Amino acid sequence: MTALRVEDAVVEYKVPGRPTVRAVGGVSLHVEAGEVLGLVGESGCGKSSLGRAIVGLNPLDSGRILVEGRAIAPLRRRARPVADRAVQMVFQDPYSSLNPRRRIGRQIQDAVPGRGGADRVRELLESVGLPGAAADRFPHQFSGGQRQRIAIARALASEPRVIVADEPVSALDASTRLQVAGLLSDTAASRGVALLMISHDLSGLRVIADRIAVMYFGRIVEMGPTDAIWAQPRHPYTRALIGAIPRLGRDAPMPSEPGRSAPVVVSDDDARLVECGPGHLVAAEALVAS
């Protein structure tokens, strides 16, 4: 059974006196157990809104989010149903998502089913490369990369089937970024967890993602195996993202930023994804243009 399935998800933001903003416009995707799907796009394309909708932080205006065939309900004021804890999120800023007044061991233990003991907390910390003794320390006593490891350990504490990681390495230095990204990828493979890795860094996703989905103005415009996306990108926006990646060398050309002037409006028929290769999908508009 597919671990995560998103069906025609629509997320809109409504502000009185202003036009409704459609952040996510009918997105469908799936992630299998043990698979890493990279969701890439520029700032404001709707990828974080989609990620928050998957874990229930943003309500859907239409569509469904299914985790192992079960619909996930939006978060309410009451405690979340135990079954819905099968989907967890790792945020971009681990310091703001950790309580600065509580020892990290206590925060991890809160998420352990049945309120497991200290042994389970130490096991989780060691699984992300931290000593078990770190449980007695506070968040401010760790570096940014260590705090992100703690956030991953806390996400794993509830034994999730799906993890949504929203730009989890963007605030880290280059070496730590690679370590944390590798930790997430290895965790997905070893524990059979479906990982949706949200990022604006297409080159970083190339190393860890099994498949990549490219998001543009609230829609998926291309999706497929990572190697296929890099070897033969079919949508103009995907090609623009790849062309904007900096290259090394004194004579390397300066990257150009993909153009973004106004929201792109296409019909539902032009936005539908059609197969252009084994597992490789692209918006119909791109095939018409080519």
Side-chain angles (χ1 to χ4, degrees):
M1 181 181 295
T2 299
L4 171 66
R5 185 173 297 278
V6 179
E7 298 179 349
D8 296 321
V10 174
V11 176
E12 295 180 341
Y13 296 109
K14 302 175 179 67
V15 179
R18 295 187 179 181
T20 297
V21 176
R22 175 166 286 197
V24 180
V27 166
S28 296
L29 55 81
H30 70 277
V31 191
E32 303 296 332
E35 182 185 30
V36 180
L37 174 64
L39 180 62
V40 67
E42 61 192 284
S43 298
C45 72
K47 57 188 187 296
S48 291
S49 294
L50 176 60
R52 292 171 66 86
I54 290 172
V55 299
L57 291 174
N58 281 348
L60 288 177
D61 288 273
S62 64
R64 293 196 305 169
I65 307 294
L66 303 173
V67 174
E68 294 188 331
R70 183 181 182 276
I72 294 294
L75 284 171
R76 306 296 183 189
R77 291 183 179 273
R78 296 181 179 179
R80 187 164 205 179
V82 174
D84 284 359
R85 298 175 192 173
V87 56
Q88 294 290 321
M89 191 165 193
V90 177
F91 294 90
Q92 178 177 359
D93 182 4
Y95 193 68
S96 65
S97 65
L98 294 171
N99 188 331
R101 297 176 179 270
R102 301 185 68 210
R103 300 181 192 275
I104 60 116
R106 290 288 187 180
Q107 299 188 56
I108 295 173
Q109 191 168 346
D110 287 345
V112 176
R115 296 295 186 268
D119 290 343
R120 176 58 176 157
V121 172
R122 285 194 293 270
E123 178 187 330
L124 286 164
L125 287 171
E126 290 169 359
S127 73
V128 297
L130 292 173
D136 295 327
R137 295 159 64 185
F138 291 92
H140 73 271
Q141 296 177 285
F142 297 91
S143 68
Q146 289 173 325
R147 285 196 290 264
Q148 198 60 283
R149 290 174 182 269
I150 293 167
I152 295 170
R154 186 177 61 175
L156 293 174
S158 62
E159 301 177 0
R161 305 308 305 148
V162 175
I163 293 178
V164 177
D166 187 8
E167 301 273 12
V169 299
S170 62
L172 305 179
D173 61 76
S175 60
T176 308
R177 188 180 307 160
L178 185 60
Q179 293 172 5
V180 173
L183 173 62
L184 282 165
S185 178
D186 293 343
T187 297
S190 62
R191 296 175 180 257
V193 175
L195 174 61
L196 179 65
M197 186 82 163
I198 300 173
S199 179
H200 64 271
D201 182 9
L202 186 56
S203 60
L205 289 177
R206 183 181 188 182
V207 181
I208 66 168
D210 300 298
R211 292 185 297 127
I212 289 177
V214 180
M215 196 167 186
Y216 186 50
F217 284 111
R219 292 183 182 268
I220 301 296
V221 296
E222 188 164 1
M223 180 163 52
T226 301
D227 291 342
I229 294 290
W230 278 87
Q232 195 174 17
R234 300 298 299 270
H235 197 277
Y237 181 65
T238 307
R239 292 195 288 267
L241 285 179
I242 293 175
I245 296 173
R247 291 168 172 76
L248 298 177
R250 185 184 299 272
D251 299 326
M254 292 294 291
S256 58
E257 182 179 356
R260 181 186 176 95
S261 54
V264 176
V265 179
V266 297
S267 67
D268 290 340
D269 189 58
D270 286 341
R272 64 187 171 86
L273 296 177
V274 296
E275 191 167 15
C276 59
H280 191 173
L281 308 174
V282 67
E285 58 172 335
L287 295 182
V288 172
S290 61

